[in-house]
Amino acid sequence: MAPSLTSKYQAKIASVGIAVPPGLLTNDDLSKMVDTSDQWILERTGIKQRHIAEKGVATSDLAAEAALKAIEKAGLKPTDIELIIVATITPDMILPATACLVQTKIGATGAWGFDISIACSGFLYALQVGCQFVTTGAHKNVLVIGLDVMSSIIDYTDRTTCIIFGDGGGAAVVQRSDSPDIPGMIDFIHEVDGIGGPALCLPGGGSRNPTTAETLEKKMHYVHQDGQVVFKFATRKMADLCVKLLERNGLTGDDIDLFVPHQANLRIISSSAERIGLDMKKVVVNIDQYGNTTAGTLPLALNSAIEDGRLKEGSLVLLASVGAGFSAGAALMRWSY
Ligand code: UT7
């Protein structure tokens, strides 16, 4: 049974703002740090460069920048925001929640908030949660942020992970959709499967393995990934969920105007698009510019599509995510400003 989002109101994304640090790390730069090459990275991942934050720049700094842009584009003031949800796996610190830091930085006095930690599915899950508060009528203006400073948890001597990830992300203002023809968010489907935990994790620093000299020496404070296991899961699951979502809404890939997938690997994106029955012309790809920014990829991709004029009033949009957990999801929305 499809979960209903039509409780009282419809919810839509009213605006998107992004923030990426200016510093660039190119494939050629990486080939001077580890045994890799521009050709290998480009062929295997589709990535050309990623943005990397300067030392001292944390998730809340970039999140606040993105949030202020989104709030301004929505024609609001920070004090209009009632709820802030931050999806990140790179909080400034374990506590307080990054949402609290962003609230103060942007001056959203009166807002409450919390963080969501579900890695690459973070923005989509946070968006869904934010929409629920709008559809119930509890809130009118919700700020949903997906942003990661991945460089803070990556081992730049490990060529299997350091080539993939980058820093940045964005924020979206979620509001009521008053147009009956353009309902905004239509449906969603999300799944987690904890069996995939060991394939993509950061084993140190939590309650299982609190930080010690030993955990640091074993590099347990960095992301560990079994790339092929994640690759296989991502390719199958992202497509499966999208197809399920389309089918239960009586749609096929032909009906979709734009597919906005998590940007983890161009091969995962193109294989998923093919399985869903979508022409690559309908797919938003910006992994070449940003790499995999974890919770940041979907707002960055939405922003690219807006700037390129590909996201139009009334466009039927399919969003999809997949990542650590395992976690995966897909959502269907009719775009309107
Ligand atoms: O956001 C969700 C989280 N992550 C993902 O979605 C990542 C999913 N996985 C992937 O994107 C891919 O598995 C990777 C990009 C991580 C790796 O690509 P792959 O095609 O699966 O490579 P592989 O692990 O099968 O390795 C192939 C070869 C190996 O050498 P041998 O054993 O064939 O001699 C690796 O040692 O490539 C080697 N290799 C590299 N060579 C140059 C692995 N990393 C590199 C590298 N540069 N950076």
Side-chain angles (χ1 to χ4, degrees):
M1 177 72 180
S4 169
L5 289 185
T6 53
S7 351
K8 199 167 176 187
Y9 303 102
Q10 302 281 353
K12 65 168 187 179
I13 294 177
S15 65
V16 176
I18 65 161
V20 283
L24 285 179
L25 183 66
T26 65
N27 292 349
D28 284 336
D29 294 333
L30 279 165
S31 66
K32 291 179 193 123
M33 296 157 67
V34 289
D35 182 12
T36 192
S37 66
D38 175 46
Q39 190 189 355
W40 192 96
I41 300 171
L42 200 53
E43 279 178 14
R44 299 288 181 127
T45 69
I47 301 168
K48 291 182 182 158
Q49 60 173 37
R50 46 313 279 130
H51 289 253
I52 300 291
E54 267 180 45
K55 203 170 179 300
V57 173
T59 294
S60 72
D61 302 321
L62 296 170
E65 183 187 330
L68 287 173
K69 286 181 192 164
I71 290 167
E72 193 187 344
K73 284 185 192 171
L76 299 175
K77 299 186 294 302
T79 46
D80 295 322
I81 300 298
E82 296 158 270
L83 167 61
I84 302 169
I85 309 174
V86 179
T88 188
I89 54 161
T90 52
D92 290 27
M93 50 195 92
I94 298 287
L95 63 108
T98 313
C100 304
L101 305 174
V102 172
Q103 178 271 336
T104 293
K105 281 193 169 131
I106 66 174
T109 47
W112 66 293
F114 53 89
D115 290 4
I116 286 184
S117 171
I118 190 76
C120 301
S121 297
F123 180 79
L124 200 52
Y125 286 18
L127 178 63
Q128 207 59 62
V129 174
C131 285
Q132 303 297 332
F133 281 97
V134 172
T135 57
T136 58
H139 292 311
K140 282 189 181 143
N141 299 308
V142 175
L143 190 61
V144 176
I145 300 170
L147 199 137
D148 273 299
V149 177
M150 290 303 292
S151 60
S152 64
I153 54 170
I154 293 299
D155 176 2
Y156 283 93
T157 65
D158 175 8
R159 68 176 183 174
T160 67
T161 51
C162 73
I163 55 146
I164 302 171
F165 295 100
D167 299 340
V173 170
V174 174
Q175 286 181 327
R176 260 182 222 170
S177 169
D178 295 324
S179 161
D181 301 331
I182 304 182
M185 295 302 287
I186 297 167
D187 196 5
F188 70 93
I189 184 167
H190 298 325
E191 271 183 23
V192 297
D193 185 354
I195 201 87
L200 185 47
C201 61
L202 192 155
S207 55
R208 176 73 56 202
N209 298 295
T211 307
T212 60
E214 191 190 349
T215 63
L216 292 175
E217 201 205 332
K218 288 182 174 166
K219 299 190 169 190
M220 290 164 76
H221 54 300
Y222 291 131
V223 169
H224 292 239
Q225 174 175 262
D226 184 335
Q228 285 193 11
V229 171
V230 180
F231 188 94
K232 281 182 197 144
F233 175 84
T235 315
R236 180 177 56 81
K237 188 51 90 175
M238 197 149 80
D240 282 359
L241 288 185
C242 288
V243 168
K244 232 187 222 179
L245 188 67
L246 290 177
E247 279 177 1
R248 76 182 187 196
N249 284 277
L251 301 167
T252 70
D254 285 345
D255 299 302
I256 296 299
D257 295 310
L258 208 58
F259 179 42
V260 185
H262 171 53
Q263 312 278 309
N265 185 315
L266 183 55
R267 288 185 293 142
I268 295 175
I269 295 173
S270 47
S271 152
S272 302
E274 194 183 331
R275 286 175 189 221
I276 301 164
L278 281 161
D279 194 300
M280 277 305 281
K281 285 192 198 116
K282 292 181 175 181
V283 185
V284 178
V285 175
N286 64 7
I287 191 170
D288 54 323
Q289 295 305 306
Y290 299 116
N292 180 351
T293 54
T294 306
T297 63
L298 288 189
L300 286 175
L302 283 170
N303 189 69
S304 292
I306 294 167
E307 287 191 344
D308 295 348
R310 298 175 75 189
L311 209 39
K312 299 187 182 79
E313 186 79 6
S315 294
L316 188 58
V317 184
L318 180 64
L319 299 140
S321 71
V322 65
F326 290 131
S327 66
L332 205 51
M333 70 176 175
R334 192 62 85 177
W335 184 258
S336 81
Y337 288 98

